[in-house]
Amino acid sequence: MGSRLTGPAASLTLWSLIALVAGLALGALGHGSRAIGFEIFGQIIDPLGRLWLAALQMTVLPLVVVYLLAAIVGAGGREKLGSLGTRAIVLFVAMLVFAALFTWAVTPPLIAAAAPDPSAFTLLQRATVVPQAAREAAAAGNASFSDWIGNLLPSNLFEAARRGDVLPLLLFSALLGVAIRRLPDERRRPLQPAIESLSEAMFTIVRWLLALTPVGVLALSYALGRDTGLEAVGVLAGFVVLQCGV
C-alpha cells in the first residue's frame, strides 16, 4: 500500500496549495489594477518571498554535501559502501532513462492538445527572473565532452558553489568521505559524530524553511500573478498539472 501524508506534513502541503491558489488569484486580480491596496500588499510581501527563496537556495548545497559525507563516513563497512553505491548508481541511471523515455513519449502530444497561446509564454518569460548563476551554468552546457570531463573536479570549491555546480561538489565530497574512512579508527571516530551532528543541524534549518513554505509560496505566486495576469497564470497552472501528472 502506498504511504500518504499525515499530521504536520499533510497540513503544510494543504496550506502551501491554498497559498499558491490565493497568491495567483490575488495577483491576477491586481494585474492592471490601479488600486493602491495591491501595490502596498506587494511591497510588503515581495521581500519575504525573495528572502525565503534565497534561504532555500543557500541551504541546498551545504545540505547535499554534508549529508553525503555523513552517509559515506557512517556506512557500515567497505563492502556495504561499495554495494550501496553500485545499487544507487544503477537505480539512478535506470530511473533517469525511464523518465526521459516516458516524458519524450507522453509530453509532446499533451502540449500539442493544449495548444497554449504563445503570448502567454512571452508574459511568463518577462516576469521570470533568471539568476546569473543559472545563466552561466546554461552557457557552460555548450562545452565539449572533453571539457566537461576535465571540469568534473573543481579547481575552486567556492567558485563552484557560487555557480551552483552540484556534481563537482558531490565528487569532492565523495572523495573526502572515502578519505576519512581510510583514516585510522582513532582519528576517524571523532569526526563521524561531528559530521552526523552537522547533517542533523542542516536538516533542522531545512525544516524551519519548510515551515515557512506557505508564506514564501504566497509571496512568489502573488508577484507572478500580478505581473502576468490571469491568462499567463492559467498557462502556468496547466504546466504544473502536466508536470505533476507526468
Side-chain angles (χ1 to χ4, degrees):
M1 295 179 63
S3 61
R4 43 181 196 171
L5 293 175
T6 58
S11 176
L12 179 62
T13 302
L14 178 61
W15 280 110
S16 299
L17 290 175
I18 293 174
L20 175 64
V21 174
L24 291 175
L26 286 174
L29 287 175
H31 178 67
S33 174
R34 296 182 179 180
I36 190 63
F38 292 109
E39 183 67 24
I40 294 176
F41 182 71
Q43 291 178 356
I44 293 174
I45 201 169
D46 282 355
L48 298 180
R50 292 197 300 268
L51 282 174
W52 178 76
L53 186 59
L56 281 180
Q57 295 171 339
M58 176 185 66
T59 57
V60 167
L61 285 179
L63 174 65
V64 171
V65 169
V66 172
Y67 186 73
L68 179 60
L69 273 176
I72 294 176
V73 174
R78 294 180 183 176
E79 297 79 7
K80 180 179 178 180
L81 179 61
S83 176
L84 178 62
T86 302
R87 291 199 303 270
I89 292 175
V90 171
L91 178 62
F92 183 66
V93 172
M95 291 176 65
L96 282 179
V97 172
F98 174 77
L101 293 176
F102 181 79
T103 304
W104 174 76
V106 172
T107 305
L110 293 177
I111 294 178
D117 186 0
S119 62
F121 282 114
T122 303
L123 288 174
L124 285 175
Q125 288 177 345
R126 292 176 180 175
T128 302
V129 178
V130 180
Q132 184 61 31
R135 296 180 185 273
E136 294 176 1
N142 298 323
S144 64
F145 181 75
S146 59
D147 292 336
W148 181 78
I149 293 294
N151 293 325
L152 278 180
L153 289 179
S155 58
N156 188 321
L157 285 176
F158 298 102
E159 179 65 19
R162 187 192 69 82
R163 295 196 308 265
D165 293 341
V166 178
L167 183 57
L169 291 175
L170 287 181
L171 290 176
F172 172 80
S173 302
L175 289 175
L176 180 59
V178 173
I180 292 176
R181 288 179 58 83
R182 292 282 185 176
L183 292 175
D185 289 345
E186 63 273 12
R187 294 181 179 271
R188 178 179 56 84
R189 286 173 183 168
L191 294 176
Q192 182 174 344
I195 295 174
E196 292 176 350
S197 298
L198 186 59
S199 175
E200 294 176 3
M202 289 301 306
F203 270 108
T204 300
I205 295 176
V206 171
R207 282 195 293 267
W208 291 345
L209 294 176
L210 289 179
L212 298 174
T213 298
V215 178
V217 169
L218 176 65
L220 296 175
S221 59
Y222 175 79
L224 179 64
R226 185 189 57 195
D227 294 338
T228 60
L230 187 59
E231 184 177 6
V233 166
V235 173
L236 178 64
F239 174 76
V240 171
V241 171
L242 174 64
Q243 185 177 23
C244 293
V246 170

